[in-house]
């Protein structure tokens, strides 16, 4: 079994994909489902999301870390944690995380959303599902590598290696090194560029929330078509 880490999404995934956008899209996606959402739809553009407004859909997303005009919510997991989404489908569009999910959906067979908050559950699900490869895909920020995503990839890789035999690529070696040299999750996330940006926007609580390790066993699964727990549009 191969284990690889892409520090940025680039496609061509033959088997299982774990998509990471720890600050904050995948952390928020886990939280929506934790708070009762029936499904998530990850759109390519805000316009597609706005076209779904109403009809039982709620819209959540951001640009520059701030809510998109016309959306019901921003992309704050702390905000999501305070709401009850029972029976709702949440439509998400964010700067990087939803796009990375679309890249994964173009070729991956089994695609799961991962963050620190569901790290162990996501790793277990990926190991159970994979037959040839687990690809961990970091969303990054504005097409540049994000420390928080690589750190999360290192946490996932470390746990996957404890679950079974893998041959690992240099991306995985880099992620493991970052994990082992960046302190605890809160230190790592707080020292990241995007973590600093969120703190400056007054969204520091999101950084602390996203740094919680394996507090959830929810693993959003991207599927195409109807009745999607988490689909792409
Ligand atoms: C992303 O897509 O990179 C994040 O959602 C950005 C954010 O929420 O601040």
């Amino acid at each position: 079994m191969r284990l690889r880490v892409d520090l940025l999404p680039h496609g061509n995934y033959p088997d299982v994909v774990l998509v990471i956008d720890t600050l904050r899209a995948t952390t928020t996606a886990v939280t929506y489902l934790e708070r009762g959402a029936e499904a998530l739809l990850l759109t390519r553009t805000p316009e597609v999301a706005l076209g779904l407004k109403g009809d039982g859909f709620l819209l959540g997303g951001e640009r520059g870390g701030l809510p998109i005009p016309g959306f019901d919510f921003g992309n704050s997991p702390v905000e999501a944690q305070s709401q009850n989404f029972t029976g709702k489908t949440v439509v998400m569009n964010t700067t990087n995380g939803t796009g990375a999910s679309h890249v994964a959906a173009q070729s991956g067979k089994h695609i799961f959303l991962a963050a620190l908050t569901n790290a162990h559950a996501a790793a277990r699900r990926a190991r159970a599902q994979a037959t040839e490869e687990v690809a961990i895909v970091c969303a990054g920020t504005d097409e540049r590598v994000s420390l928080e995503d690589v750190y999360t990839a290192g946490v996932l890789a470390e746990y996957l290696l404890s679950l079974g035999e893998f041959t690992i690529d240099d991306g995985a070696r880099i992620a493991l090194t970052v994990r082992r040299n960046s302190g605890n999750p809160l230190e790592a996330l707080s020292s990241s560029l995007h973590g600093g940006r969120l703190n400056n926007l007054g969204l520091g609580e999101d950084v602390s929330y996203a740094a919680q390790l394996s507090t959830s066993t929810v693993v959003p699964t991207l599927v195409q078509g109807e009745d999607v727990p988490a689909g792409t549009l």
Side-chain angles (χ1 to χ4, degrees):
M1 184 83 71
R2 297 189 307 274
L3 173 58
R4 87 190 216 209
V5 173
D6 287 356
L7 303 182
L8 285 172
H10 69 67
N12 186 23
Y13 298 111
D15 189 4
V16 168
V17 189
L18 287 167
V19 178
I20 299 171
D21 182 14
T22 298
L23 290 177
R24 302 167 284 175
T26 54
T27 300
T28 304
V30 169
T31 309
Y32 282 141
L33 294 172
E34 280 275 351
R35 297 295 296 153
E38 272 186 2
L40 305 176
L41 287 178
L42 282 59
T43 67
R44 289 182 189 285
T45 66
E47 291 70 26
V48 170
L50 288 165
L52 294 167
K53 194 168 170 69
D55 306 332
F57 293 105
L58 291 172
L59 275 52
E62 57 65 49
R63 283 298 181 274
L66 298 173
I68 297 171
F71 276 41
D72 302 287
F73 300 100
N75 190 37
S76 166
V78 169
E79 180 187 37
Q81 177 68 21
S82 71
Q83 307 288 321
N84 180 348
F85 291 94
T86 303
K88 296 292 184 187
T89 293
V90 181
V91 183
M92 294 181 72
N93 183 263
T94 70
T95 313
N96 308 282
T98 50
S101 301
H102 277 278
V103 170
Q106 284 163 6
S107 62
K109 284 192 194 128
H110 308 283
I111 301 136
F112 306 114
L113 304 187
L116 287 171
T117 52
N118 74 340
H120 288 126
R124 279 195 300 272
R125 183 71 186 279
R127 180 70 183 81
Q129 191 76 58
T131 54
E132 62 176 292
E133 177 184 90
V134 175
I136 300 174
V137 177
C138 301
T141 303
D142 299 328
E143 298 179 1
R144 300 179 73 85
V145 176
S146 289
L147 172 67
E148 71 275 13
D149 291 347
V150 179
Y151 181 91
T152 304
V155 171
L156 289 164
E158 210 166 52
Y159 190 55
L160 281 163
L161 291 174
S162 75
L163 295 176
E165 292 290 314
F166 287 90
T167 54
I168 66 173
D169 73 345
D170 281 352
R173 287 176 173 78
I174 290 167
L176 288 164
T177 303
V178 167
R179 157 72 168 140
R180 292 166 183 162
N181 292 280
S182 302
N184 66 40
L186 183 56
E187 289 165 340
L189 268 53
S190 301
S191 69
S192 70
L193 274 179
H194 196 50
R197 197 177 298 145
L198 290 171
N199 273 308
N200 293 338
L201 287 171
L203 295 166
E205 273 190 284
D206 283 346
V207 180
S208 306
Y209 183 99
Q212 299 172 98
L213 190 53
S214 290
T215 46
S216 173
T217 57
V218 166
V219 181
T221 307
L222 279 194
V223 289
Q224 305 304 323
E226 299 305 312
D227 305 326
V228 293
T232 57
L233 268 180

